[in-house]
Structures are given as structure tokens and as C-alpha cells.
């Protein structure tokens, strides 16, 4: 992928402000694609659960008696009441009980009992199981798909991007810290910001010291004019000479993760990007993931996880604050400018912006969004 050879218009402003556009995106992207909702260790034992939401949909993810993951709409089949009001916990005695009329379900979603219901000949428990959601995992991350018949498997959805982190022991790692950041901006603005480094020289001076090519306003050497591949150099960004990872100093006291190649170590960071809900960054000593959750036309939630090997997390508790500080700084810097972007879009005069050559990934993203919902939006 090379730079744009001419300027291109951005999406029109109403794509970032309109409730109707937001609803169309929920229906055509978020309710049809796979997206990550957590980690396997969030539900370690049978009966453990957590609830989550996207758009208007509230969901339950749990560990069944068999040890398998299950996901259901957080909705009773009787009259649609919310089944569970807690963020996380454990279902007592392996039963999901509606707080309204006490309809009772198994961890597999089967209707088991309807206390106090007067009998009738045409009622069968088998007809009223919970609304099941497709669930799968990759690298210890839990993904769900709200479509009754997903268009792709999770593996196909993740595609070649998942291969970028094939050397990292993601499934064996655990989240040692999770933070949530609420942003007053449209979800697309955060993904756009992630997709370009034109902003990096001004917004991320600390990051530019660690990854020098970012100070050129590009995502990697491959975007520099006249760059030519030499040897095994693929043009991806690399940490500065003498630095080994993304931290304030470029150094780390944490042990190197097992199984990484020489190229992995030299890069200091490797990215897997899953349009447009999540990206995962593998560093030599830790992994960081950022999940994007659309809340409203002008509100987005970010969920950031930092992963370490279990034994490392236990032995180096004192290093976790230092490990998380740099990634938090970068995300907070990004969030702040995305909020500025959102506020500026309310101008009566601003109908759409313009993309410059190194913002080709934004152009690609805009084409993708329009291909998914363009027919639903004027």
C-alpha cells in the first residue's frame, strides 16, 4: 500500500454526528462482524460470567459446566426482561434466574423452570431457550458475533493480521491490568487516528523518540518517498538504536517473551489490526490491546488490556505501573485530539475534510465503511 497520489475527501461530517448514521453502522457493522469482548481468564470457572454491551445490545458471556464458553442476549424469553444486572460474578448453582418472574435457565441457555406458571397444553420449555450468540476465541481473546448466521468464521475475519502475532504466546498470557477510557468522539475518529501517524510529531513527542520514523509523520519507512526494500527490511517501524520496547526509556526490566524471532525483537512492536474494533500490539516483553466500543454518535469507550505471562506478573508486580505508563500516555494523547476533532466537526461550514498522501489507510477505511453502510446513508 503506497501513499495517495492526490488529495481525497474524507467522509462527510454527518457520518460523525448523525444518530441515523450511527444506527446504520451498528446494524451493518457491529451487529454483523466479530468483535472482542474480553479474555478467557475473565470467566475461569463454570458459572462465572460477565455482561457487556455494544450499541443497544446487552449480552452475557459465561463459562458453562462443560468448560465451554457461551454467550447469550441478556434477555429473558418470557417478556424480555434483563436477566442479569451485575457487571460480573458467578451464577449460583449453575442457574440463570430472571429477577422478574423467576424463569430459570441452565448455563447452556436451556429453560429449566417457570415457577408459578399456570399450565397450558401448547407450552414447551424447549421452545424458549435463551437467545444464543456465536462465540469463539483467538489468542485467549473472546470474540462474539451477533448475527444469527455470521458471514465469516472468526479465523476468516481475523485474516492475515492474526499472523502478525503468531510468535507471541497470547493464549498463555493473562491480563494484569485493564483500564477503560471514555471518549467524547465518534468511534471512527479513534480508528482514523490509529491509522495514521501524520499527527505523531506534534501529539506524540515521547513516542517519536522511541520510534524515530514516526517523527516523519508516516506509519513506517515504507511510506517515505523513495524508500526501497533492502534485504529483509519490510519497511515497518522499528525502535531507535539501543532501545528494545515501547517505554519512556525504550528499555525494560521485564524478561523477553518466549518464542520471538530476531525480527520481532528488533522491531520493538508488532501490530495486528482488526478493522475497526480492536488492535493488539506485541512487544518483546508485554502485549497491549485496545478495544473500541461504540456508545453513541459522539461517544466511544476504549478498553485497554496489558498482558504478561502468569509467572512474570507474579514475580514483577512492582514493574507493572512502569509497563503500563507509556501505552496509557499514547492512548490518552490520541483520545484528547480525537475529542478536539469531534468538537470541530460541529462547524456549520465544514462539510468534509481532505486526506493528504500519507493518510492512505484512512482512505481505505472510509471506502470500507461506505461499502458496508453506504446504501443506508445519504
Amino acid at each position: 500500500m503506497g501513499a495517495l497520489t492526490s488529495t481525497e475527501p474524507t467522509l462527510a461530517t454527518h457520518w460523525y454526528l448523525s444518530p441515523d448514521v450511527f444506527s446504520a453502522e451498528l446494524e451493518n457493522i457491529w451487529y454483523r462482524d466479530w468483535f472482542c469482548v474480553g479474555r478467557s481468564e475473565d470467566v475461569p470457572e463454570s458459572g462465572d460470567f460477565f455482561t457487556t454491551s455494544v450499541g443497544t445490545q446487552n449480552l452475557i458471556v459465561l463459562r458453562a459446566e462443560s468448560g465451554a464458553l457461551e454467550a447469550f442476549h441478556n434477555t429473558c424469553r418470557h417478556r424480555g426482561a434483563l436477566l442479569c444486572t451485575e457487571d460480573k460474578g458467578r451464577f449460583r448453582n449453575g442457574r440463570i434466574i430472571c429477577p422478574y418472574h423467576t424463569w430459570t435457565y441452565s448455563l447452556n441457555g436451556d429453560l429449566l423452570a417457570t415457577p408459578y406458571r399456570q399450565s397450558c397444553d401448547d407450552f414447551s420449555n424447549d421452545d424458549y431457550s435463551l437467545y444464543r450468540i456465536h462465540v469463539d476465541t483467538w489468542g485467549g481473546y473472546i470474540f462474539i458475533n451477533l448475527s444469527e448466521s455470521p458471514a465469516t468464521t472468526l479465523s476468516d475475519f481475523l485474516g492475515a493480521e492474526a499472523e502478525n502475532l503468531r510468535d507471541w504466546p497470547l493464549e498463555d498470557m493473562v491480563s494484569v491490568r485493564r483500564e477503560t477510557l471514555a471518549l467524547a468522539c465518534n468511534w471512527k475518529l479513534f480508528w482514523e487516528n490509529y491509522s495514521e501517524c501524520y499527527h505523531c510529531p506534534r501529539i506524540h513527542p515521547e513516542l517519536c523518540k522511541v520510534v524515530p520514523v514516526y517523527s516523519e509523520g508516516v506509519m513506517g519507512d515504507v511510506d517515505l518517498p523513495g524508500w526501497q526494500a533492502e534485504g529483509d527490511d519490510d519497511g515497518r517501524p522499528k525502535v531507535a538504536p539501543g532501545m528494545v520496547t515501547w517505554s519512556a526509556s525504550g528499555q525494560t526490566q521485564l524478561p523477553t517473551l518466549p518464542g520471538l524471532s530476531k525480527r520481532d525483537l528488533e522491531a520493538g512492536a508488532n501490530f495486528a489490526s482488526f478493522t475497526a474494533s480492536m488492535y493488539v500490539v506485541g512487544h518483546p516483553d508485554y502485549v497491549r490491546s485496545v478495544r473500541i466500543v461504540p456508545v453513541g454518535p459522539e461517544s466511544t469507550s476504549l478498553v485497554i488490556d496489558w498482558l504478561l505471562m502468569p509467572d512474570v506478573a507474579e514475580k514483577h508486580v512492582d514493574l507493572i505501573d512502569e509497563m503500563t505508563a507509556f501505552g496509557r500516555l499514547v492512548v490518552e494523547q490520541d483520545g484528547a485530539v480525537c475529542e478536539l476533532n469531534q468538537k470541530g466537526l460541529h462547524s456549520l461550514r465544514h462539510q468534509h475534510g481532505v486526506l493528504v498522501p500519507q493518510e492512505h489507510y484512512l482512505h481505505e477505511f472510509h471506502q470500507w465503511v461506505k461499502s458496508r453502510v453506504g446504501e443506508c446513508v445519504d
Side-chain angles (χ1 to χ4, degrees):
M1 171 65 68
L4 294 171
T5 57
S6 60
T7 58
E8 293 285 345
T10 65
L11 293 174
T13 298
H14 68 275
W15 280 79
Y16 305 92
L17 305 177
S18 166
D20 291 338
V21 172
F22 182 72
S23 293
E25 291 170 345
L26 290 177
E27 293 290 339
N28 292 279
I29 297 176
W30 295 93
Y31 297 167
R32 295 188 180 184
D33 282 349
W34 293 91
F35 62 92
C36 180
V37 293
R39 294 276 304 170
S40 291
E41 67 262 25
D42 293 333
V43 282
E45 299 181 7
S46 174
D48 289 343
F49 75 90
F50 64 85
T51 57
T52 188
S53 61
V54 58
T56 61
Q57 302 304 297
N58 197 279
L59 320 165
I60 302 172
V61 180
L62 61 83
R63 183 76 62 181
E65 291 181 0
S66 66
L69 287 167
E70 296 279 7
F72 305 101
H73 285 270
N74 191 5
T75 302
C76 182
R77 289 299 306 275
H78 175 211
R79 279 165 50 194
L82 202 69
L83 287 165
C84 186
T85 59
E86 300 173 340
D87 292 336
K88 61 181 179 180
R90 174 173 292 185
F91 291 117
R92 295 179 59 186
N93 302 317
R95 297 293 183 263
I96 305 169
I97 302 176
C98 178
Y100 195 178
H101 296 95
T102 322
W103 281 31
T104 302
Y105 304 85
S106 74
L107 297 182
N108 293 323
D110 298 325
L111 179 61
L112 300 177
T114 57
Y116 312 110
R117 179 183 61 82
Q118 296 180 354
S119 64
C120 52
D121 294 337
D122 60 350
F123 184 91
S124 172
N125 285 9
D126 294 340
D127 295 333
Y128 298 100
S129 298
L130 294 180
Y131 299 112
R132 188 178 302 277
I133 297 170
H134 295 272
V135 60
D136 204 347
T137 62
W138 167 79
Y141 288 99
I142 302 172
F143 287 78
I144 64 173
N145 190 304
L146 297 182
S147 173
E148 292 186 48
S149 300
T152 66
T153 64
L154 175 61
S155 178
D156 288 341
F157 172 78
L158 299 176
E161 284 293 306
E163 288 297 303
N164 292 344
L165 296 178
R166 65 182 180 274
D167 295 338
W168 273 261
L170 296 176
E171 192 162 353
D172 298 327
M173 302 178 78
V174 295
S175 176
V176 297
R177 182 163 295 176
R178 174 174 295 165
E179 297 179 358
T180 301
L181 179 63
L183 297 180
C185 69
N186 185 277
W187 66 274
K188 294 188 298 298
L189 289 182
F190 190 83
W191 190 262
E192 291 172 6
N193 181 83
Y194 168 70
S195 301
E196 53 92 353
C197 218
Y198 187 32
H199 69 281
C200 289
R202 181 177 184 85
I203 305 304
H204 301 306
E206 300 87 357
L207 179 57
C208 288
K209 292 178 181 178
V210 177
V211 187
V213 72
Y214 289 166
S215 64
E216 301 291 334
V218 296
M219 295 285 280
D221 291 330
V222 68
D223 289 329
L224 293 172
W227 179 83
Q228 295 291 327
E230 296 182 5
D232 61 355
D233 185 3
D234 57 9
R236 286 184 290 178
K238 305 177 186 64
V239 291
M243 295 188 177
V244 297
T245 192
W246 281 29
S247 69
S249 65
Q251 307 300 319
T252 181
Q253 298 181 62
L254 293 167
T256 300
L257 292 169
L260 302 187
S261 68
K262 181 174 181 290
R263 172 66 183 84
D264 296 332
L265 298 175
E266 289 176 346
N270 216 13
F271 292 78
S273 306
F274 306 121
T275 309
S277 62
M278 181 185 190
Y279 61 89
V280 185
V281 191
H283 299 283
D285 52 337
Y286 69 96
V287 170
R288 175 172 54 94
S289 62
V290 179
R291 291 187 272 134
I292 301 170
V293 183
V295 178
E298 300 188 68
S299 55
T300 300
S301 180
L302 303 182
V303 183
I304 307 102
D305 279 287
W306 284 268
L307 312 185
L308 287 174
M309 299 298 288
D311 58 334
V312 173
E314 294 170 358
K315 294 176 182 177
H316 299 282
V317 175
D318 57 320
L319 298 179
I320 292 177
D321 284 345
E322 180 181 353
M323 177 193 70
T324 60
F326 194 76
R328 183 187 304 109
L329 171 66
V330 173
V331 170
E332 289 177 347
Q333 290 169 333
D334 285 332
V337 293
C338 288
E339 291 184 331
L340 288 178
N341 199 166
Q342 186 73 38
K343 289 179 180 178
L345 289 173
H346 282 270
S347 166
L348 293 174
R349 296 287 300 276
H350 190 80
Q351 300 302 310
H352 62 77
V354 61
L355 298 178
V356 298
Q358 63 261 59
E359 294 176 313
H360 53 85
Y361 289 117
L362 272 71
H363 178 65
E364 188 176 287
F365 172 57
H366 292 168
Q367 297 303 112
W368 177 83
V369 172
K370 288 192 288 187
S371 73
R372 301 296 298 275
V373 300
E375 294 182 0
C376 306
V377 177
D378 293 332

